[in-house]
Amino acid sequence: MYWNQKAECMPRDELRELQLERLKQTVSRVYHDVPHYRRQFQEIGVRPEDINSLEDLRLLPFTTKQDLRDNYPYDMFAVPLSEVVRIHASSGTTGKPTVVGYTRRDLATWAELMARALVCGGASRQDVIQNAFGYGLFTGGLGIHYGAECLGASVIPISGGNTKRQVMIMKDFGTTVLTCTPSYALHIAEVMAEMGVKPEETKLRCGIFGAEPWSENMRRNLEAKLGIDAYDIYGLSEVIGPGVAMECQGKHGLHIFEDHFIAEIIDPQTGEPVAPGEPGELVITTITKEAFPLIRYRTRDVTAMIEGECPNCGRTHMRIGRITGRTDDMLIIRGVNVFPSQVESVLLSIGYTEPQYLLIVDREGNLDTLEIQVEVSSQFFSDKVRGLEELEAVIRREIESTLGISAKVRLVEPKTIQRSEGKAVRVVDRRQI
């Protein structure tokens, strides 16, 4: 099932021709309308007429989050503010917020892409979509909202929080599709169980989750607890918001909507492309945005390109694997690269634990230490102490085997680790480096 079959199933040759045409237009526009890009291009001696193939994209410099902060708030816009009808921004928790603008056409494009994404995950205009992504400056809530309206589905704009009310509305309003972060979906499942509401008492059949890395084991956990099919959606505010890429119902990689974005996977250290299948940093160039076009934006998200045609849906757009982490939240512990999603995958593969965990990194003398706190299922926690000790030993062994470093494992009671209504906090780094 497609929303825009002509675009989504376009032959690869035609798609590349379209990408090149739109890339050349975008490069010309940013050169003439965005002083930051003109300066950068002039510094390396590149002009728009030098871009004659998709491979020439590599002649252009990367754009980083620092570039956006240096041009805060509006200096990266390619249109006058009078043409901008919507402004979103990041939280700014690690510095100045990054500010993005949208023209009316940008909003129409975003709604079209989100409608595509929802259909890709099996939604239709017959669905009731409970949108528990946050509304506001964050792009998640409004992105899903306008896509659902474009699709013609019934959208419940409930945002995050007030979880018991979420469950009541889910049951009473006949919600069929839930959209939120995977960690919040897990919390909803817990509260649902506490309220004595069984998944079969709802009409919920599908969940579309994103805005934070999550593992295949987390997918299986959510599907079992909520009685749904769970799909991964990808996007980021700087690029457009949710709707950059989406899993189809085959659940074998996320299709990037390449008629609007050109994706590269690079080695984050060298900036050079990596081979298909090799993990690297996702870099995106927007080729249809008017207000806030981006050239080779380094997302910091780590993924890998999946080679070959999709065996499930007939869409021709390239696929990427699920996001496994971010280069800037990758932990380096005793010289080893560690992503929280790796730990999550190990914990959920062992069983007897809940998908609620916290990594605490510290330093004793000159040695980094890693403590993994993980909640044990209530049934197992009431078991004998020896059973808990054995479980700790199994987790320690599997973590060391997977990550290549030792870790202290601390099993904690159910409901000990703080829940999130948005993006989950998985790491506390106490090192003074």
Side-chain angles (χ1 to χ4, degrees):
M1 190 163 58
Y2 311 103
W3 173 254
N4 184 341
Q5 185 171 3
K6 182 179 178 183
E8 294 171 61
C9 300
M10 185 180 293
R12 292 293 305 176
D13 289 348
E14 287 182 32
L15 183 57
R16 286 178 62 83
E17 286 179 18
L18 180 64
Q19 284 184 313
L20 179 58
E21 177 189 335
R22 290 178 170 178
L23 173 65
K24 291 167 78 170
Q25 291 170 355
T26 299
V27 170
S28 177
R29 207 152 54 76
V30 300
Y31 183 85
H32 292 101
D33 297 336
V34 183
H36 166 82
Y37 281 120
R38 186 164 56 251
R39 281 195 304 273
Q40 279 208 319
F41 291 6
Q42 288 174 342
E43 283 175 8
I44 58 174
V46 175
R47 296 183 58 81
E49 49 267 35
D50 295 326
I51 305 302
N52 296 302
S53 70
L54 290 178
E55 287 69 31
D56 289 339
L57 179 62
R58 291 178 58 190
L59 298 174
L60 302 175
F62 293 114
T63 305
T64 66
K65 181 164 278 194
Q66 189 59 48
D67 291 325
L68 309 191
R69 289 176 175 151
D70 291 345
N71 288 279
Y72 174 87
Y74 301 140
D75 286 352
M76 294 287 279
F77 285 11
V79 299
L81 200 56
S82 58
E83 294 182 30
V84 173
V85 298
R86 174 90 66 78
I87 295 170
H88 282 280
S90 69
S91 61
T93 50
T94 57
K96 283 276 191 186
T98 52
V99 182
V100 296
Y102 302 77
T103 64
R104 289 190 188 283
R105 185 176 167 191
D106 288 334
L107 290 181
T109 299
W110 191 13
E112 140 85 13
L113 291 175
M114 267 311 310
R116 274 194 211 181
L118 292 168
V119 173
C120 202
S124 74
R125 62 183 307 161
Q126 278 72 45
D127 276 304
V128 177
I129 298 176
Q130 184 162 328
N131 185 17
F133 277 112
Y135 283 66
L137 286 177
F138 174 59
T139 51
L142 286 171
I144 298 281
H145 183 106
Y146 284 100
E149 287 191 347
C150 181
L151 172 61
S154 303
V155 58
I156 304 171
I158 193 167
S159 194
N162 204 340
T163 309
K164 287 185 177 177
R165 187 163 175 260
Q166 298 264 2
V167 175
M168 180 195 74
I169 284 177
M170 188 181 295
K171 186 178 176 186
D172 294 349
F173 289 18
T175 298
T176 55
V177 178
L178 173 66
T179 58
C180 59
T181 60
S183 57
Y184 188 52
L186 192 63
H187 184 47
I188 291 175
E190 290 175 340
V191 173
M192 185 185 292
E194 290 169 2
M195 294 170 67
V197 177
K198 298 177 181 175
E200 54 267 30
E201 295 177 51
T202 74
K203 294 182 179 177
L204 198 62
R205 64 174 186 79
C206 168
I208 294 176
F209 306 128
E212 63 186 16
W214 54 304
S215 64
E216 280 298 316
N217 285 327
M218 175 73 101
R219 186 209 299 271
R220 285 190 280 275
N221 200 289
L222 284 169
E223 290 183 338
K225 289 186 172 177
L226 290 170
I228 59 172
D229 279 306
Y231 299 101
D232 195 3
I233 187 169
Y234 175 75
L236 63 168
S237 297
E238 299 92 317
V239 170
I240 202 168
V244 175
M246 176 73 200
E247 276 187 327
C248 65
Q249 290 172 278
K251 303 178 187 174
H252 191 64
L254 295 89
H255 291 274
I256 287 190
F257 299 129
E258 290 186 277
D259 49 334
H260 293 272
F261 310 106
I262 298 176
E264 304 169 79
I265 311 283
I266 64 164
D267 182 320
Q269 303 301 320
T270 66
E272 294 299 314
V274 300
E278 292 293 319
E281 179 182 341
L282 178 63
V283 173
I284 291 180
T285 298
T286 68
I287 51 175
T288 54
K289 281 180 70 182
E290 291 182 331
F292 191 70
L294 284 174
I295 302 295
R296 304 192 81 195
Y297 183 66
R298 294 189 63 159
T299 66
R300 302 293 180 190
D301 291 322
V302 177
T303 183
M305 188 181 300
I306 299 175
E307 277 194 290
E309 296 180 2
C310 179
N312 304 292
C313 72
R315 289 176 177 84
T316 54
H317 295 204
M318 69 172 275
R319 289 169 295 148
I320 56 172
R322 65 168 59 248
I323 303 299
T324 55
R326 290 178 54 80
T327 57
D328 53 4
D329 71 12
M330 180 183 75
L331 295 163
I332 301 178
I333 302 173
R334 286 170 243 151
V336 176
N337 299 341
V338 175
F339 290 101
S341 57
Q342 292 175 292
V343 176
E344 175 184 297
S345 187
V346 170
L347 294 174
L348 294 183
S349 68
I350 293 171
Y352 308 113
T353 61
E354 297 294 329
Q356 303 290 353
Y357 62 93
L358 185 66
L359 310 186
I360 299 175
V361 187
D362 211 334
R363 178 162 289 180
E364 296 177 5
N366 293 318
L367 186 65
D368 292 339
T369 61
L370 171 63
E371 176 178 307
I372 301 171
Q373 296 183 2
V374 57
E375 290 184 6
V376 180
S377 64
S378 53
Q379 183 181 3
F380 195 87
F381 199 81
S382 62
D383 206 343
K384 296 178 181 178
V385 173
R386 184 174 177 183
L388 294 172
E389 291 174 345
E390 289 174 353
L391 179 58
E392 278 186 357
V394 169
I395 295 174
R396 274 199 305 272
R397 192 163 56 245
E398 290 300 316
I399 288 289
E400 186 165 356
S401 171
T402 301
L403 303 183
I405 59 171
S406 59
K408 177 182 177 183
V409 176
R410 186 175 157 210
L411 304 179
V412 299
E413 293 183 53
K415 311 288 191 304
T416 302
I417 294 173
Q418 187 174 0
R419 300 313 194 245
S420 168
E421 294 174 352
K423 297 184 182 183
V425 176
R426 300 295 196 195
V427 177
V428 175
D429 194 340
R430 295 173 176 162
R431 292 175 292 186
Q432 302 293 321
I433 300 176

